Amino acid sequence: ETGVTQTPRHLVMGMTNKKSLKCEQHLGHNAMYWYKQSAKKPLELMFVYNFKEQTENNSVPSRFSPECPNSSHLFLHLHTLQPEDSALYLCASSQELTGGTQYFGPGTRLLVL
Amino acid sequence: DQQVKQNSPSLSVQEGRISILNCDYTNSMFDYFLWYKKYPAEGPTFLISISSIKDKNEDGRFTVFLNKSAKHLSLHIVPSQPGDSAVYFCAASDYTSGTYKYIFGTGTRLKVLA
């Protein structure tokens, strides 16, 4: 596997469910990111990790809980989501935290019923 | 308030002609800009970047122009090919301040007609 992979690609969940999104990067990068893309809105940065340490929580509700066990893996744990949380969730990585190109995974399309 | 705006949600261009995608920004501190391309069911892929010390950067068929006084950048694709049909996002950051945050536009869907 090369690049940035995300699983699952599609997810449908009820508001009381607990699920997790997984991201893995095979690029040897040190920084990883979660973005949310809602319809007709720009990509919104949610969380940033650098060398496994969280450096940014962009005022994200606590029903989204990130986890970064190592520089290659990033999870987004979901709990009691709302229908308005339905969106495309994109993971990205970059070599360094400051500047540079971010490489994106294919995203997880989430639908909350 | 959106700091990066792509005012054209869609654009159709004939194969072989020039595609021009536009992006406007409001924050004068932005000094590094990127364009990403996104195909359906795939994540955005990096296309080309430009820093504010330049007003033009070229890579094959793709050229990005930056007009700092107008706070405007544009992506030119020439000649356009059907495989260029995708959504194009511009993104901006205040690179010299050391920030890693990119502010993205809402995207422009380009359709290149064969």
Side-chain angles (χ1 to χ4, degrees):
Chain A
E1 290 263 29
T2 58
V4 182
T5 57
Q6 289 185 245
T7 54
R9 297 293 308 275
H10 300 270
L11 179 62
V12 180
M13 59 187 289
M15 288 190 283
T16 58
N17 292 157
K18 284 185 183 180
K19 296 285 184 185
S20 295
L21 310 184
K22 179 183 176 182
C23 174
E24 185 173 359
Q25 58 96 358
H26 310 266
L27 301 167
H29 288 169
N30 298 314
M32 296 187 77
Y33 312 78
W34 278 117
Y35 284 89
K36 174 184 177 183
Q37 187 181 24
S38 304
K40 300 194 190 315
K41 287 187 174 180
L43 272 70
E44 300 171 55
L45 181 64
M46 299 175 73
F47 300 104
V48 181
Y49 278 82
N50 189 35
F51 290 98
K52 304 187 303 178
E53 300 298 320
Q54 187 180 124
T55 58
E56 178 85 19
N57 176 338
N58 204 23
S59 303
V60 180
S62 59
R63 57 186 184 268
F64 295 91
S65 173
E67 179 191 359
C68 188
N70 54 62
S71 292
S72 298
H73 293 85
L74 186 63
F75 295 89
L76 188 62
H77 304 299
L78 315 173
H79 177 49
T80 58
L81 294 193
Q82 305 298 310
E84 59 264 30
D85 297 321
S86 299
L88 180 69
Y89 289 85
L90 289 159
C91 172
S93 70
S94 64
Q95 182 63 51
E96 305 294 339
L97 188 59
T98 52
T101 302
Q102 293 180 12
Y103 294 83
F104 285 84
T108 296
R109 176 75 58 190
L110 173 67
L111 178 62
V112 182
L113 301 175
Chain B
D1 184 36
Q2 276 184 251
Q3 296 185 68
V4 177
K5 297 179 185 178
Q6 293 177 257
N7 292 317
S8 298
S10 64
L11 174 69
S12 290
V13 171
Q14 208 65 36
E15 181 180 7
R17 307 296 289 267
I18 184 170
S19 295
I20 300 176
L21 297 103
N22 294 304
C23 180
D24 296 293
Y25 60 97
T26 57
N27 189 340
S28 56
M29 297 300 292
F30 287 151
D31 54 11
Y32 190 67
F33 306 87
L34 305 95
W35 283 94
Y36 280 85
K37 177 169 75 172
K38 185 180 185 303
Y39 292 119
E42 294 183 17
T45 56
F46 170 72
L47 196 56
I48 193 168
S49 64
I50 189 167
S51 93
S52 59
I53 60 172
K54 293 185 170 184
D55 54 18
K56 177 182 172 182
N57 189 25
E58 203 169 343
D59 184 2
R61 297 185 297 114
F62 301 92
T63 303
V64 56
F65 294 92
L66 176 62
N67 183 332
K68 290 185 287 291
S69 60
K71 296 192 186 70
H72 176 83
L73 66 155
S74 60
L75 175 68
H76 292 213
I77 307 173
V78 56
S80 301
Q81 298 173 355
D84 296 328
S85 297
V87 178
Y88 289 79
F89 294 95
C90 67
S93 78
D94 178 7
Y95 185 82
T96 52
S97 75
T99 185
Y100 44 78
K101 289 188 186 180
Y102 287 111
I103 307 299
F104 285 82
T106 50
T108 296
R109 184 176 301 278
L110 173 67
K111 189 171 183 180
V112 180
L113 307 168

